Structures are given as structure tokens and as C-alpha cells.
Amino acid sequence: MKVKVISRSTDEFTRERSQDLQRVFRNFDPNLRPQEKAIEYVRALNAAKLEKIFARPFIGAMDGHIDAVSCMAKNPNYLKGIFSGSMDGDIRLWDMASRRTVCQFPGHQGAVRGLAASTDGHTLVSCGTDCTVRLWNVPVATIVESDDSSNCTAEPLAVYSGNNAFWDVDHQWDGELFATAGAQVDIWNHNRSQPINSFEWGTDTVISVRFNPGEPNLLATSASDRSITLYDLRVSSPARKLIMRTKTNSIAWNPMEPMNFTAANEDCNCYSYDARKLDEAKCVHKDHVSAVMDIDFSPTGREFVTGSYDRTVRIFQYNGGHSREIYHTKRMQRVFCVKFSCDASYIISGSDDTNLRLWKAKASEQLGVLLPRERKRHEYHEAVKNRYKHLPEVKRIVRHRHLPKPIYKAASLRRTMTEAEGGKKKEGKLIVLQEVLPLNHYVKEESSKKLSELWHYQLL
Amino acid sequence: MGVKQDNADPGQILPPIEQELSNELDPKLKKYLRGEGTNLEVLKDKKLKSQLSVREELYGISAKAAAKAEEWLMPSEGGYLEVEGIEKPWRINQHSISSEINISSLKNQHDIIIPDLGPYTLDFNSSGRYMAVAGRKGHLAVLDMKNMSLIKEMQVRETVRDIVFLHNELFFAAAQKKYPYIYNRDGIELHCLKEHGSVLRLQFLKSHFLLASINKFGQLHYQDVTMGEMIGNIRTGLGRSDVMQVNPFNGVVALGHSGGTVSMWKPTSAAPLVKMLCHPGPVSAMAFHPNGHLMATSGKERKIKIWDLRKFEVLQTIPGHARALDFSQKGLLAAGNGSFVQIFGDLSESQHYSRYMGHSMVKGYQIGKVLFRPYEDVLVLGHSMGWSSILIPGSGEPNFDTWVANPYETSKQRREKEVRSLLDKLPSETIMLNPSKIGTMRPVKKKEKQTKQEIAAEMEAAVEAVKDTAFKNKTKGRNKASKRAKKRKELIERVKRPLLERQLKEDEKLAKKPKISEKENALPTALQRFASKKATA
């Protein structure tokens, strides 16, 4: 007869010295854990409530401008800094950590309409309504930067003047060229005082311009004749034009999928397009109740932030419909520009009330260095909340956001209007409304080459 | 299924060791997969389909990792009893076992004889380390079974009918003559629960922190021990019952009645969830298998029945008397009767219980309670002269999980665990017969309000169907064109009428709801009572 009984020796299961860690033994058998689904549900509910308790997205405001902030630029080499230009011609470089001005760039006589930093981070390009384009030398961040008293002002490297007011500027990724938008699209080189190239299609002003991050010779512009035009520098002619029902205020390319761009439109929606196929929008992002003024993608390419005329900042998913987050404050007036910080953790919004505001991208995120246990606990909370977020109790808590009354009323009014128009819209892709042109072309092609042939970018 | 089998690929030939491994892992994988995967073919939403298929793959990977961990990382092995030749396992007694095992396990074989203080009943805490014993004549004691030391004993000088540990070994509740009391580990009386009355049996639902009791008048009380709130107070209406057990799988309390019925209760409803007729005579004992599918009941007509709780059918009937029943963690069933205890086990994994072992005590000792000790191969019997502990190889789970129940818990770990289990405390509404329903969605009701377009389309379709019917050609001047047209018009109106009536009914329903007129809405709240109360259509 062979007999064996469970026998455990105490030293195998307890620690030897008090300096040692306690021993942990795991048995993942589901029979040892009755009611695990109910426990997970309770944890999901608690995680949703905790997220709401810790949701404090506003970090601080950067105070200093004396007129509305009209444009901002990120410095790709220096994550802590951000440039901002205001309506009275004042350009400042801010240090986001201390929320102070590091450097001022006085010089513009009128409103500063566009700011762009070169890829190496040493040059700042600004353009304004005083018909000038100025290039500035950006001071390199030194160890002495924390000294508040040294508020340096910089002299411009070069001042180039044109014939008409400029509306926007953007610098080429990894190149020496920058483009300005005004009466026409001009391509400039740092060293030339006259544009080396000029594009025009139509007679209306071009109000925004953006270079493609993946394909350095491709750029997208939007004009006040409600169109979005794609240009290619190698072919030196415009490639495609898309006409919409309302004007596009700003365009942003997805840094992770550079063939897609999203346009921030006057009709309160953002439209995401695939640049190779412009006849249909990939996605419509609807949530704002007033014109969307600015849009910027996160470096992860998974979400983007929009600032709107209705005094709110919203964060959308790149492929989704409704916004995942909305930020608003009583003191923040019309938002004219927004930027997503280069580490995807912060959002900077510049608004009419002369302040730049710094927000967290994830409202309940714990900033700073996290212990591995804390990180694991946060990840677990996220995972368990995502598993049960479709259930009514959890959904009610996760979805809840306080909206200012005018926005709530405006949103419900819009909802009633769309419902009255014809019931629920079809799920899926919404076709962008395009005007019927006398030439019977919805998308005009100037170049004979197919746009897809201009792409050398390979999808990884 | 959510798992992609590695060896399903015909072109891939695994080395023999890996093949063996994958064959061994398959039944374990099933356990960790926790049921079937969802059927993704019926989904039309592509985004949702891709998200769900990623999740299903992750489940497969984690189930495989858990199965491998079980294979390789477990520190202890289970007990077993193998007989050779013509030996029968039920003829083997404790004495013959004791000569074969190591000395450290011998301390688990003992008899404690306390003749004067009445039949003993006992309870273990969740890790099996601490035991609370109560003698009928008022003797209460808490013991540490690892060190075989007595932590606290006291004499309450009253009849004590039952004893249970609460969530910890620090607190226990004793059902005394008039009311149940809650005591501290140091013997301090913390609470006197007057609402319960004279309680016959107590049970504690660990994940809900509910103390359930059945009293002399057949009233079931559920009390939340965290805040002291009485959650449920149910008059069962089925008379006095001495038999009460909690199903650990779903938290329902089952009572056995003298009519042979077993009723199952949850705190939020006044009517039982289930009432099943189990025996022709009174039910004398009841026990639940830890997986929640099996229930063993014994009646006074000398039959022990094993029920499948999913179908509520008898799986097996064992002849025998049982005054006390208990299932072990590994599924062995102990039936105590008189001074003899029988242990049954499903040795061939076919859910057919056969005799495994037995133990008889000194004649005259009446066994009142049998309880398997968690995570040990030990069965403790509470009898009229004290309690005895015997060894049953193969009854306990050899590997414990530190974060579920730890027999080697320090006081810091115990405090942490208490706080975490309080955070995970389940609300009493989660007690249901099938707990896996939590988190599932109710199927969408088909009835949806039709949009205007759909209504218009329906009407058009109905009219289209009837428009071209041919009328009989009448003669003798009765076939006038105007009459034909009139007839056609009437036919179309007849077809449209039910749809229009339906519309009218719905509009009436909407109109019936009292609507505040716009003017009244515009008034500030303080002045609204001066607005006219007439509901406008």
C-alpha cells in the first residue's frame, strides 16, 4: 500500500530573515476563485469611480501675452519648450515645466499668423499680417535657463517681406524649405529673400498649409473657397483639389500614417481623409458645437486634439466618431490653437483670453515616476474597466462629463435637428458633401500622374 | 474556440517531448479557458469583430501560460492512496496509514476527548489554519492547527448551537441560546445580534460579508457584518429546519426541511429561488461541491442522493444514513453517521461516487459534524465527546494561492487582505443561481419605434400590393368606370386603415403624457405654481 499525505515544511513557505521578501505562491485554478466575474465587475465599477475622482486635467496657465494667442509651434528637439504668437505681434518661447517665458521675439507689427520651427530646432519661422516672414535664431537651452531674471530677447536672423499678408507657415520635415500661405502658396528657402516657388489654383486666399511628415515634398493647404488642395513640390504643380461645403480652418497629417490627414472644418466637424482617395471621407468626427479652429495629432497617431470656437478643447480617437474627452474652463474663451506635446502626455491650448493653458492628455493620469506596483495597478484598472465598459452602470460613470450649459443646449439642439432631418444616419462612412462643379468633376486633377504614384512611402 | 492548437498544423512536426506536453496540457487548457469562446462569425461590425478576435487570442495565450504554470511551477503534490493486490481501500484504517507516512503529518491524527461539554461543532477559516470549536454546553475555543496551540477558550454558560468564523480568524459568531453573539479572538463579546432570535444554524458568505442565520421559527436573516445592516429578513414559511448550507459557487443559501424539500434563497427576494423535493422523509444533511454543480443530500429514509444542480436531477443514490455531510476541495464526500464516517470519492472521474475510505470511532460517540480541512488531507469530526482529526489522502488541494488563502499568513498580510477583500465586497444583488450571467448583455428587444420613413414605406408597400387587383367584369350596365374607380379607392383605404389606426394610437399615447407648455417652462421655478395646470396637447 502506498500512501502519501500533503505535508508542507514551514521553511519552504516562509522567509528566512526579516530582510527577505515574503514568498508568494500562485495557483491560477478557477475553482479556487468562486464568483470571479462578480468581483471583476465590482472592481470595474470602483476603477471607473476612481478615475473620475482623480480626473484633474488642468495643470496651469501660461500668462504673459497681452492679446489673443493666434498660433503656436512645437520645437521637435526640445520637448519642454513651446512657441506662441499673439495678435499684437508678440512671439514668446515658453518653458512648460516652470510655465514662464524663456525668450521673447519682438518684431512683428501686426498679428502673428503662423509659427514653425525647423526640424533641427535652431530656426523659428514666423509670418504675419504685416506681410513679412521673419527667421529667428532659437536660443539653445542652457543650464542657466532656470534663472528667471534673464528674459532674453532675440534679434531676427532675416526679415523677408512679401506683397500680401501671410496666413500660415509650415516648415518641411527634414528639409530646408518652408511654405507660407497667403494670396498663394509660396515655397521659400532659408537663405533666399524671395520665394523659390509659387503655387496657385483659384483666386482665393490660402489660409493654412501643412507639410506631410512622411513624404517631405507633399503638402496640403486649405483655402477660403472651401477647398483642400494637395501640392507636390517635385512636380511643381498642384496635384488634387477637394471642395467641401464649408471652409477648413486647419489640417493635420497623422504622423504614424502619413497618407491620412484630418481637416478641421467650419461646420463643427473634423473630416479624416486618405490622401490617395479623396472622394470619400474615411471618418467624420462630430462633437463640437461651433467651428473647429485648430487640430493637432498626437505623436502616437492614435488620437488628435481639436480646439474650437465654442470655448472647448476635445480629444478624439483617430478612427472614431465621438470625442473621448472634453476640456473647458470658465476663463478659457475661444480656442484658436492647440498642440499635442511631443511626448503625448500634455495638451497646450492658446485662446482668446491671452493665456496658454497646459492640460493632461489623460485626465486621471498620475504624473511623475511611477513605482512598478503603481503602474501595474493602473494597467489593471484600465483593463478591467475596458472589459466591462459596455455595462450600463459602468458606462454611465465612464461617459459622464460636465458640460457648460450653452454647449449642452447647443449639442442637444443639433441632435434634434439631425434627427428631424431623417432619423438615424447610416452607420459607417459619411460621404462628404461636395458641390457639383460645372465641369462635372468632384475632385480635380491637375497633374496626370496618379497621386498614389507620387507616394514612395511604404506601409510597414 | 478561442485557442489555436499548435499541433493542428499538419506540416509542422513537433519533437516528441513537446508533443507529449501539448497532449497533457489540453485538458488543463479547458479548465483555464473558462468555457467556450464567442462565435465571431455572426458579427457584421468589422471593428468590433477584430477587437474581439484579438481578445480571444489573448485569452488563449493566458490559458496556455496558466496551464504551463500549473504543470511546472507548483510547489506541492497532492496526496494519494494506492492499494496493491486484493487490498480494498475502505478496509484500510488510520492505524495502518500512520505507520506509512512521515512524522510531521502524524500530528494531524488525534482525538480530543472532552466528555462533559456536549456534542461539538466546528468551523475552519478559509486557509484551514484556525479552527473554532463550540461545545453544546457553552464551551467556545479557537485553535491554531499548525502549531496545535489554543488561542482562546471561554465558557459562555449557555447552550451554543453553532459557530462560524467571519472573514478572518479574528472574529467568530456563536449561536447561543437566545441570540447569536460575535466575539473577538481575545474572547471579547463585540455584538449581540438580537434581531436574529434563537438561531439554529449560522453561515457566512465570504465575498458578500453576509452572516446568514436560520432560527427556530424558520426565519432567515442576512446581516452585513461590515456596516451592521440587515439586508434580508425572510419568513420562509416552511417551518423549522436544522439543515443549512451555503453554495460557495454562487452564494445561495440552501435549507433542508422536514418535508423532504430543499429550498434555495437569496437575500433580495421573499420567495425561494428553487424548491426541490429531494426525499420522502426529512432532510438530515446537505453539502455542496466547491464547483457548484453537485449537491449531496441525505434523508432519514437512509439514502444519500447526489444531485446535478444544473439540471436538478439525481445523479446517484447511495444507500446509507448520514447525519453530517461534507465535500472536500478535491471532491471527496464524507458522510458521518453514528460513530462511523464513510468517505466516497469519484475515483474514475466519471462523477460516480464509490466507497473510498472509512473510519469508525468508539461506539457511543455520535458524530454531529464532519468538516474537511482546506488545503490539507485532513477530516475533522465533531462528536458528542469532543472532536477527532483523521487523515484522508487525496482530499485537500495541495497548492494554495497566497492571494486567495494563505495558511502561512503574517499579520501584515492578513490586514492587507482584509482591506482588499472589503474593497472587493460584492453587493448582495450579485447572489444568483448562475453567477456567470454578470457582465452579459440582455438581448435587444425587437420592438423599435418606426421612423417616419419606415412608416411611409410600409404604407406604400401595402398600397402597391393591392393597387393592381383585377375586378370582376360586371354586365348589364353595372360596370361603370366611376363605380370601378370608387371600388378601387375603397380597397386602398381599407388596406391603409390599420396602419393609420396604429399611428393614431401611438399619437394618442404621446398626447396623454402631460406636457408643460413652453410658457410655463420659461418661468423661473419659484413662479411655476402660478402657471396654468392645463396640459396642452
Side-chain angles (χ1 to χ4, degrees):
Chain A
M1 168 183 69
K2 281 200 283 193
V3 194
K4 186 183 172 294
V5 181
I6 295 173
S7 63
R8 298 191 188 97
S9 67
T10 320
D11 26 323
E12 207 185 296
F13 289 88
T14 52
R15 61 182 180 182
E16 283 177 14
R17 291 175 290 262
S18 59
Q19 308 147 323
D20 290 343
L21 296 171
Q22 294 281 4
R23 290 188 200 196
V24 169
F25 299 93
R26 302 305 312 273
N27 183 353
F28 300 106
D29 195 353
N31 293 329
L32 289 182
R33 295 163 171 79
Q35 311 210 301
E36 29 182 22
K37 276 197 106 173
I39 292 179
E40 266 192 356
Y41 174 73
V42 167
R43 286 182 185 170
L45 210 55
N46 287 341
K49 291 178 186 171
L50 276 178
E51 190 206 2
K52 283 283 168 271
I53 292 173
F54 289 116
R56 286 155 179 266
F58 183 60
I59 299 175
M62 292 180 264
D63 190 20
H65 282 295
I66 53 176
D67 206 341
V69 178
S70 59
C71 53
M72 293 195 293
K74 291 189 280 199
N75 187 338
N77 278 14
Y78 184 46
L79 295 184
K80 267 208 302 180
I82 187 141
F83 298 98
S84 67
S86 72
M87 295 285 199
D88 66 348
D90 190 16
I91 302 174
R92 289 173 185 239
L93 169 61
W94 301 87
D95 174 40
M96 285 199 269
S98 55
R99 297 199 281 284
R100 288 182 201 280
T101 308
V102 169
C103 194
Q104 288 199 324
F105 306 89
H108 271 285
Q109 312 292 51
V112 181
R113 282 287 170 195
L115 279 177
S118 65
T119 334
D120 56 4
H122 292 149
T123 321
L124 173 71
V125 185
S126 68
C127 72
T129 50
D130 59 352
C131 314
T132 54
V133 173
R134 287 166 203 252
L135 274 83
W136 312 80
N137 218 347
V138 177
V140 176
T142 55
I143 310 167
V144 202
E145 74 186 80
S146 54
D147 188 359
D148 298 326
S149 59
S150 71
N151 201 351
C152 76
T153 55
E155 286 288 314
L157 264 182
V159 180
Y160 305 141
S161 47
N163 298 329
N164 302 302
F166 291 109
W167 280 82
D168 199 6
V169 72
D170 194 31
H171 200 284
Q172 192 182 37
W173 288 63
D174 246 0
E176 265 216 343
L177 306 174
F178 62 90
T180 57
Q184 68 276 339
V185 180
D186 290 323
I187 312 292
W188 305 68
N189 189 309
H190 281 215
N191 310 317
R192 303 287 173 82
S193 63
Q194 290 296 316
I196 58 174
N197 208 346
S198 229
F199 296 116
E200 200 170 344
W201 187 353
T203 49
D204 281 294
T205 35
V206 184
I207 48 181
S208 83
V209 63
R210 284 280 178 269
F211 271 98
N212 187 311
E215 192 72 33
N217 292 311
L218 200 62
L219 53 94
T221 64
S222 81
S224 54
D225 64 350
R226 303 171 280 130
S227 67
I228 298 175
T229 319
L230 296 171
Y231 293 89
D232 189 320
L233 294 181
R234 294 163 294 191
V235 189
S236 51
S237 72
R240 280 279 197 293
K241 191 174 197 180
L242 162 68
I243 300 185
M244 302 179 64
R245 253 203 195 158
T246 42
K247 172 178 84 156
T248 300
N249 287 322
S250 182
I251 302 176
W253 293 91
N254 187 332
M256 279 298 146
E257 295 173 359
M259 62 278 196
N260 297 331
F261 67 87
T262 309
N265 214 331
E266 275 284 318
D267 69 348
C268 327
N269 300 336
C270 298
Y271 297 94
S272 287
Y273 285 93
D274 185 338
R276 302 167 294 188
K277 190 169 180 264
L278 283 177
D279 47 358
E280 210 178 42
K282 279 185 76 165
C283 202
V284 181
H285 310 273
K286 299 172 117 173
D287 241 347
H288 277 293
V289 297
S290 195
V292 188
M293 303 303 290
D294 198 11
I295 180 171
D296 191 31
F297 260 93
S298 149
T300 62
R302 288 289 185 216
E303 45 190 30
F304 59 87
V305 61
T306 58
S308 142
Y309 197 70
D310 68 356
R311 306 189 178 102
T312 58
V313 170
R314 282 192 193 251
I315 305 177
F316 290 84
Q317 277 178 307
Y318 77 117
N319 58 358
H322 288 283
S323 56
R324 92 165 156 86
E325 190 71 78
I326 171 174
Y327 294 152
H328 57 88
T329 323
K330 266 206 183 132
R331 297 195 173 184
M332 183 163 75
Q333 303 303 317
R334 321 284 178 185
V335 182
F336 285 133
C337 44
V338 282
K339 283 275 178 243
F340 222 117
S341 78
C342 291
D343 60 350
S345 323
Y346 302 100
I347 287 169
I348 309 108
S349 68
S351 56
D352 201 10
D353 55 290
T354 77
N355 287 337
L356 275 89
R357 283 186 178 78
L358 193 59
W359 309 82
K360 285 191 224 173
K362 287 196 181 25
S364 49
E365 188 186 13
Q366 184 180 347
L367 298 173
V369 179
L370 290 177
L371 294 172
R373 265 199 218 185
E374 285 179 319
R375 202 164 16 96
K376 269 197 171 174
R377 181 115 315 253
H378 289 315
E379 284 169 14
Y380 179 76
H381 280 324
E382 268 306 305
V384 79
K385 201 174 7 129
N386 283 334
R387 186 182 274 199
Y388 289 93
K389 67 172 182 254
H390 58 282
L391 291 179
E393 273 297 313
V394 184
K395 187 169 161 188
R396 185 182 72 94
I397 297 173
V398 168
R399 216 170 55 109
H400 174 258
R401 296 276 183 291
H402 171 68
L403 289 180
K405 206 181 202 151
I407 293 177
Y408 180 73
K409 288 223 184 294
S412 48
L413 189 63
R414 277 176 73 83
R415 211 179 310 129
T416 336
M417 282 162 60
T418 47
E419 272 176 19
E421 268 171 29
K424 270 194 188 165
K425 283 220 163 73
K426 208 170 42 152
E427 291 293 321
K429 302 191 177 77
L430 248 175
I431 300 172
V432 167
L433 308 157
Q434 293 175 341
E435 207 187 41
V436 178
L437 300 167
L439 288 157
N440 216 8
H441 276 303
Y442 290 107
V443 178
K444 284 179 168 168
E445 290 185 30
E446 280 247 348
S447 69
S448 53
K449 264 195 191 174
K450 275 204 280 198
L451 200 60
S452 47
E453 286 178 21
L454 299 169
W455 284 89
H456 300 295
Y457 179 79
Q458 293 282 331
L459 264 177
L460 291 165
Chain B
M1 288 291 279
V3 179
K4 294 187 180 61
Q5 303 273 351
D6 282 335
N7 48 8
D9 186 0
Q12 197 186 34
I13 303 171
L14 292 170
I17 305 173
E18 276 202 40
Q19 190 98 37
E20 231 180 77
L21 272 179
S22 52
N23 286 340
E24 276 173 22
L25 286 177
D26 285 342
K28 291 190 186 147
L29 260 179
K30 258 195 159 175
K31 175 169 68 159
Y32 288 108
L33 277 174
R34 291 167 167 86
E36 301 268 327
T38 49
N39 183 13
L40 294 176
E41 309 298 323
V42 293
L43 283 176
K44 291 191 192 136
D45 186 355
K46 283 190 198 158
K47 229 194 261 181
L48 183 64
K49 202 173 178 179
S50 60
Q51 282 174 2
L52 286 182
S53 62
V54 165
R55 259 198 219 174
E56 293 283 334
E57 216 182 291
L58 277 178
Y59 290 160
I61 294 174
S62 68
K64 262 199 207 155
K68 268 200 205 150
E70 184 187 333
E71 181 75 21
W72 298 109
L73 294 180
M74 295 304 187
S76 320
E77 282 176 0
Y80 54 82
L81 173 67
E82 279 169 25
V83 286
E84 291 145 1
I86 52 165
E87 267 182 336
K88 300 280 183 225
W90 58 83
R91 297 242 182 265
I92 295 172
N93 58 4
Q94 293 292 308
H95 192 74
S96 42
I97 291 180
S98 63
S99 50
E100 303 271 335
I101 54 172
N102 56 353
I103 302 177
S104 54
S105 309
L106 277 179
K107 70 173 196 293
N108 283 326
Q109 262 186 346
H110 56 260
D111 294 296
I112 310 277
I113 307 295
I114 306 172
D116 318 313
L117 294 168
Y120 273 79
T121 167
L122 37 98
D123 190 39
F124 283 108
N125 81 332
S126 56
S127 63
R129 179 156 176 186
Y130 295 93
M131 182 166 83
V133 287
R136 181 68 64 84
K137 302 272 189 321
H139 181 208
L140 298 178
V142 175
L143 302 104
D144 177 353
M145 298 297 273
K146 272 262 166 311
N147 311 330
M148 296 308 295
S149 65
L150 180 69
I151 294 181
K152 183 72 192 174
E153 79 176 317
M154 46 203 249
Q155 175 61 255
V156 296
R157 293 189 295 182
E158 253 188 349
T159 323
V160 175
R161 296 192 199 98
D162 201 4
I163 188 165
V164 275
F165 270 118
L166 299 188
H167 55 280
N168 254 341
E169 68 272 13
L170 298 177
F171 305 99
F172 60 91
Q176 294 181 204
K177 175 169 141 194
K178 273 195 173 165
Y179 323 106
Y181 289 80
I182 295 182
Y183 293 94
N184 199 2
R185 181 182 48 180
D186 303 327
I188 304 170
E189 178 194 315
L190 297 175
H191 301 282
C192 167
L193 308 172
K194 288 219 165 107
E195 269 197 54
H196 294 241
S198 18
V199 164
L200 299 175
R201 288 275 179 266
L202 285 170
Q203 286 286 328
F204 189 69
L205 284 81
K206 288 208 174 35
S207 18
H208 309 268
F209 281 80
L210 289 177
L211 182 65
S213 72
I214 182 88
N215 70 6
K216 267 199 306 196
F217 307 110
Q219 288 173 334
L220 190 54
H221 291 262
Y222 286 90
Q223 185 152 24
D224 186 340
V225 297
T226 53
M227 298 299 277
E229 201 187 324
M230 189 65 86
I231 304 277
N233 183 348
I234 303 165
R235 286 167 48 204
T236 60
L238 296 165
R240 177 184 166 132
S241 71
D242 269 321
V243 179
M244 174 168 158
Q245 280 291 336
V246 164
N247 186 344
F249 179 67
N250 52 17
V252 308
V253 162
L255 300 171
H257 302 282
S258 49
T261 48
V262 166
S263 54
M264 299 198 192
W265 301 85
K266 66 175 185 177
T268 47
S269 70
L273 287 167
V274 177
K275 244 205 283 192
M276 42 198 280
L277 181 66
C278 291
H279 293 278
V283 176
S284 54
M286 207 162 54
F288 284 97
H289 194 287
N291 70 6
H293 302 312
L294 292 180
M295 174 173 81
T297 60
S298 75
K300 291 246 158 67
E301 85 279 11
R302 280 177 275 138
K303 289 261 188 301
I304 301 172
K305 290 193 186 174
I306 299 186
W307 298 83
D308 181 340
L309 284 178
R310 290 170 291 193
K311 295 187 238 165
F312 297 105
E313 274 177 3
V314 187
L315 280 179
Q316 197 184 347
T317 311
I318 305 171
H321 219 144
R323 266 198 65 201
L325 282 174
D326 192 38
F327 271 103
S328 83
Q329 276 177 327
K330 283 287 189 187
L332 299 180
L333 174 65
N337 161 35
S339 60
F340 182 61
V341 62
Q342 274 257 22
I343 290 105
F344 301 96
D346 59 342
L347 306 158
S348 49
E349 302 252 352
S350 60
Q351 292 216 328
H352 180 87
Y353 277 77
S354 54
R355 274 189 295 175
Y356 178 51
M357 281 177 75
H359 177 71
S360 66
M361 311 200 57
V362 173
K363 214 168 153 92
Y365 287 17
Q366 299 291 321
I367 294 178
K369 180 125 187 179
V370 286
L371 210 54
F372 278 100
R373 203 170 135 196
Y375 304 107
E376 292 279 349
D377 278 340
V378 168
L379 174 66
V380 180
L381 321 161
H383 51 79
S384 50
M385 298 293 230
W387 67 89
S388 310
S389 162
I390 57 175
L391 292 174
I392 310 287
S395 61
E397 168 67 53
N399 298 299
F400 60 86
D401 188 318
T402 314
W403 292 330
V404 170
N406 185 1
Y408 297 92
E409 212 169 40
T410 61
S411 62
K412 261 196 187 169
Q413 287 176 333
R414 186 193 61 226
R415 289 195 302 238
E416 271 294 316
K417 186 152 176 288
E418 187 175 7
V419 173
R420 292 219 180 270
S421 58
L422 277 171
L423 285 173
D424 290 338
K425 181 181 122 176
L426 299 176
S428 51
E429 293 86 32
T430 54
I431 299 177
M432 53 183 77
L433 276 179
N434 183 8
S436 58
K437 275 221 203 113
I438 295 174
T440 54
M441 303 276 278
R442 223 183 293 159
V444 178
K445 279 198 205 153
K446 286 289 175 65
K447 189 175 142 211
E448 252 182 48
K449 201 168 160 215
Q450 284 181 325
T451 60
K452 271 189 238 166
Q453 286 176 340
E454 285 176 1
I455 296 168
E458 208 185 322
M459 218 177 281
E460 258 191 58
V463 168
E464 277 289 320
V466 193
K467 217 167 54 165
D468 296 318
T469 52
F471 289 121
K472 187 177 173 192
N473 260 343
K474 289 203 173 173
T475 53
K476 293 195 185 172
R478 294 193 190 99
N479 197 10
K480 277 204 249 183
S482 57
K483 280 204 182 148
R484 261 188 287 144
K486 209 172 161 189
K487 221 176 173 183
R488 182 150 287 145
K489 212 170 146 195
E490 275 177 14
L491 183 62
I492 291 177
E493 275 177 24
R494 207 184 305 145
V495 165
K496 275 195 185 170
R497 188 180 298 151
L499 302 171
L500 288 170
E501 278 180 353
R502 207 196 314 157
Q503 260 292 86
L504 265 174
K505 239 195 263 177
E506 283 183 8
D507 289 338
E508 256 182 39
K509 256 193 234 166
L510 278 176
K512 267 195 199 153
K513 286 192 198 158
K515 280 201 198 115
I516 316 170
S517 71
E518 279 214 22
K519 239 199 299 181
E520 290 169 319
N521 223 349
L523 288 175
T525 47
L527 298 176
Q528 280 211 2
R529 55 191 161 124
F530 299 114
S532 67
K533 290 271 170 72
K534 242 194 307 177
T536 55

